[in-house]
Amino acid sequence: MQGFKGWKEFIYQVLIDSGQFENPTSHLKNATLIETFKSKDRNSLTEIRVGYFLQENKLIYLHIFNPIVPGYNKYVEGEYFYYYDYNDKNSYGDPALEFNKQNVNGVLTLLKNGLKGKEVQFIKNDRILKSILYIDGVNPKFNFLFTYDFTNRRFWNKVFGKRIDKMEGVKKREIELHTIFNGIKNVLQHRL
């Protein structure tokens, strides 16, 4: 962690020095600085969106985004870090991570390991109607499943209508999340 003043400098250094991401674009939204790092791979639509609360040098979120996986994007949309996310003794706490060694190592592990899990999509006429998202946790006990319906069907039609996966002409596609973001390969471990 030595040599880094805070989250913004640390994340910039890790993503840019990896050679996988371009310099970020930035904008302010209230007291949050948001940076978007786009992949240098022209065949990839992956972006990493980072939200910082600069006044207190805290990391609010780090979202990996790709339009190919709308279910995963919906999942991360409301996600943010909690104060104790990388603390073994406590959980949750206030929003955002302080800049300390334990949290830096946790975020670095997230960036190094990439995404784990898959998104199963149900498609008709080139339109994704439904996604089932399987997120692999660190421990198999903590695997998660989320379902997202992207149709405009009313609630009762979703409940009592025909299941999307049983509709005529619907095709199933599976996308392994590691193909969207497989992790940072060249990490500055010597500076930590």
Side-chain angles (χ1 to χ4, degrees), residues 3 11-13 31 38 61-62 81 86-87 90 100 105-106 108 112 117 132 157 174 181 190:
I11 289 175
Y12 177 88
Q13 201 71 47
K38 293 187 178 193
Y61 61 83
L62 189 146
F81 290 112
Y86 296 108
N87 184 306
N90 297 303
N100 61 40
N105 286 335
L108 192 58
K112 284 170 42 179
I132 301 174
N157 196 7
E174 291 189 18
F181 180 64
H190 63 278

Side-chain angles (χ1 to χ4, degrees), residues 13-20 183-189:
Q13 201 71 47
V14 169
L15 294 179
I16 297 305
D17 282 3
S18 75
Q20 293 173 245
I184 300 293
K185 301 305 167 222
N186 303 320
V187 178
L188 305 171
Q189 293 177 338

Side-chain angles (χ1 to χ4, degrees), residues 50-91:
V50 188
Y52 311 95
F53 185 46
L54 292 179
Q55 289 175 315
E56 295 184 24
N57 191 19
K58 290 186 177 178
L59 180 62
I60 301 169
Y61 61 83
L62 189 146
H63 294 163
I64 297 159
F65 176 87
N66 190 307
I68 293 170
V69 285
Y72 181 78
N73 296 338
K74 195 80 169 152
Y75 164 73
V76 298
E77 196 173 84
E79 288 290 308
Y80 56 88
F81 290 112
Y82 289 102
Y83 187 83
Y84 294 116
D85 270 353
Y86 296 108
N87 184 306
D88 294 333
K89 297 177 183 147
N90 297 303
S91 60

Side-chain angles (χ1 to χ4, degrees), residues 81-116:
F81 290 112
Y82 289 102
Y83 187 83
Y84 294 116
D85 270 353
Y86 296 108
N87 184 306
D88 294 333
K89 297 177 183 147
N90 297 303
S91 60
Y92 295 106
D94 292 334
L97 290 175
E98 283 188 338
F99 186 70
N100 61 40
K101 187 172 184 170
Q102 183 174 347
N103 291 337
V104 165
N105 286 335
V107 170
L108 192 58
T109 298
L110 172 76
L111 288 170
K112 284 170 42 179
N113 292 341
L115 300 177
K116 306 285 187 233

